[in-house]
Amino acid sequence: MTRELIAELRQAPPASLAPARSILAEKAGGPGGTSRLASFYPDTGPLRRELYVKHLRFFRLGRTVRERMMLAANRIGKTEGIGGYETTLHLIGLYPHWWEGRRFDKPIRAWVAGRTSITTRDIVQAKLLGRPTLRGGRKTFDGSGLIPGHLIERVSWRHGIADFADTVSVRHAGGGTSLLQFKSYEQGRTAFEGTEQDVIWLDEEPSLAVYTECVVRTMTTDGIVYVTFTPLQGMSEVVMLFLDARPELQVVEE
């Protein structure tokens, strides 16, 4: 993936953006170019896409429902291969040729949250952005995560927690930048009040109060909320909310 190809997309008329994105993804060897994103869900080989039936079903459901939960065991790829993968696609606006889930044709506002600031930094932030590094005298990320490094623009850092980003601007293929913000459940429900969001990914189980607040943040944007976790708390309020599934909620179990 090159900066020149991104520039071509920005100049293209709206009607041509969908095929242009597809061409860009193919030229890059996948939607992530040289980032880790390109290695996920290949057409062929021992890790070929068709083997990941429940992962694909989870993605596909995003097209028709606003709330999803991936209820899964540890070490099956729910953080990187499901939550991180889908969030990255929405942030950069590039989707693989096989994608049947929700699509965003313009830059988005997204929240990503985990249980604590430290676990969010060490797990979710690292999966998405890679390692903090200095480039041109400015602290940023090295792009060894899912989001290609050359699409990472401005980074503002959280005070009081080393190497933990607060907000990150990510270049979107349709022009402009998506805004990614990191949060944690330990901040409490009030930290999830306020601004409208298009995408919210909750990695590990939140309280019902936090989850409900996130759903409210996406109501006026027709946004989406998805949760990826192992049900260590048993039949909690959040788990029961999905297992008693209303039509607008979907749970995928692995």
Side-chain angles (χ1 to χ4, degrees), residues 53-116:
V53 176
K54 293 186 177 180
H55 296 59
L56 299 181
R57 177 170 178 250
F58 183 84
F59 297 145
R60 191 164 52 248
L61 284 168
R63 189 170 184 173
T64 55
V65 300
R66 293 187 53 239
E67 302 171 49
R68 287 169 289 154
M69 176 174 70
M70 173 55 96
L71 196 65
N74 286 316
R75 312 306 299 173
I76 63 95
K78 60 184 180 296
T79 295
E80 186 172 36
I82 298 175
Y85 184 83
E86 177 164 346
T87 301
T88 297
L89 299 184
H90 297 323
L91 286 167
I92 67 177
L94 293 170
Y95 300 89
H97 65 87
W98 51 264
W99 184 259
E100 298 180 85
R102 180 71 177 270
R103 292 174 180 250
F104 290 88
D105 292 328
K106 58 182 179 57
I108 66 165
R109 297 174 63 91
W111 282 349
V112 171
R115 185 172 290 120
T116 70

